Amino acid sequence: VLRVYKAAVQQTLDILFLPEGREFLTSTDAVSRDSADRTIVAWDFQSAAKISNQIFHERYTCPSLTLHPKESVFVAQTNGNYMALFSAQRPYRINKKKRYEGHKVEGFAVGCEFSPDGTLLVTGSSDGKVFFYNYHTSRIIRTLSAHKEACVSAIFHPVLPSLLATCDWAGEIKIWQ
């Protein structure tokens, strides 16, 4: 073990290293009725100090974080049935004009990911569908009825970007072209 970071919150749901690796983000389950601080926490990699815990101010947990492959932004999947876009540079501001809506999370830890070229954002949905969003317009460009159970992950192949892997709550994995 090289370092230990003490979040002093409930469970950590996801970890995302930011470009250059000097800072990283964690998402937690620390949402209460009166406060949503600590939902996304920014950390200094070297010192293990918290940089910010005031990044996301809504009362939803964020089970998944993903970094854009070409721009300095990241997306947080929220349990509010939308994905929020943030700057990946301090002070990590949310883009209030752009939200990716239409899919359902309904308490599942649904993952999201950008296509390798950064033009698409893909996510699963609790109804078993996969949603493809245009990154720039935040509009749904396609839905795919993928599974009978909740689709909890959709991820592009790293070498063959026309391939997509999906998996559901029951353990079924499918590869799509």
Side-chain angles (χ1 to χ4, degrees):
V1 175
L2 298 176
R3 288 180 188 80
V4 176
Y5 303 82
K6 299 269 185 181
V9 294
Q10 297 169 341
Q11 65 192 19
T12 298
L13 302 173
D14 202 3
I15 301 171
L16 177 67
F17 277 100
L18 295 176
E20 300 175 20
R22 291 190 298 259
E23 297 170 1
F24 67 94
L25 304 169
T26 58
S27 63
T28 70
D29 212 2
V31 176
S32 68
R33 191 169 40 128
D34 300 326
S35 175
D37 67 337
R38 300 181 310 276
T39 302
I40 299 175
V41 178
W43 300 85
D44 180 81
F45 178 70
Q46 292 297 329
S47 70
K50 289 181 193 172
I51 297 167
S52 176
N53 65 346
Q54 298 292 321
I55 298 171
F56 185 59
H57 298 283
E58 297 188 30
R59 290 181 178 93
Y60 299 114
T61 57
C62 298
S64 177
L65 306 170
T66 189
L67 190 64
H68 192 279
K70 298 182 188 253
E71 296 182 21
S72 188
V73 297
F74 72 93
V75 165
Q77 174 77 269
T78 76
N79 279 333
N81 296 325
Y82 67 92
M83 292 177 286
L85 183 68
F86 296 84
S87 168
Q89 297 176 338
R90 291 187 200 186
Y92 315 109
R93 288 206 165 99
I94 190 169
N95 182 333
K96 294 181 180 179
K97 296 178 182 176
K98 198 178 282 191
R99 281 174 42 152
Y100 303 87
E101 300 175 304
H103 64 289
K104 295 178 181 160
V105 178
E106 296 178 344
F108 289 95
V110 175
C112 56
E113 185 185 68
F114 285 101
S115 61
D117 66 2
T119 60
L120 299 175
L121 180 60
V122 65
T123 185
S125 182
S126 64
D127 59 6
K129 294 179 183 173
V130 175
F131 285 75
F132 295 84
Y133 295 86
N134 178 302
Y135 162 65
H136 295 288
T137 66
S138 67
R139 292 189 179 162
I140 298 169
I141 56 172
R142 181 161 190 207
T143 59
L144 181 66
S145 293
H147 296 274
K148 293 177 185 165
E149 300 287 330
C151 180
V152 293
S153 186
I155 185 167
F156 289 96
H157 190 282
V159 179
L160 305 169
S162 66
L163 296 184
L164 181 79
T166 63
C167 64
D168 71 11
W169 186 250
E172 183 176 67
I173 301 164
K174 294 181 179 180
I175 306 295
W176 305 81
Q177 185 168 27

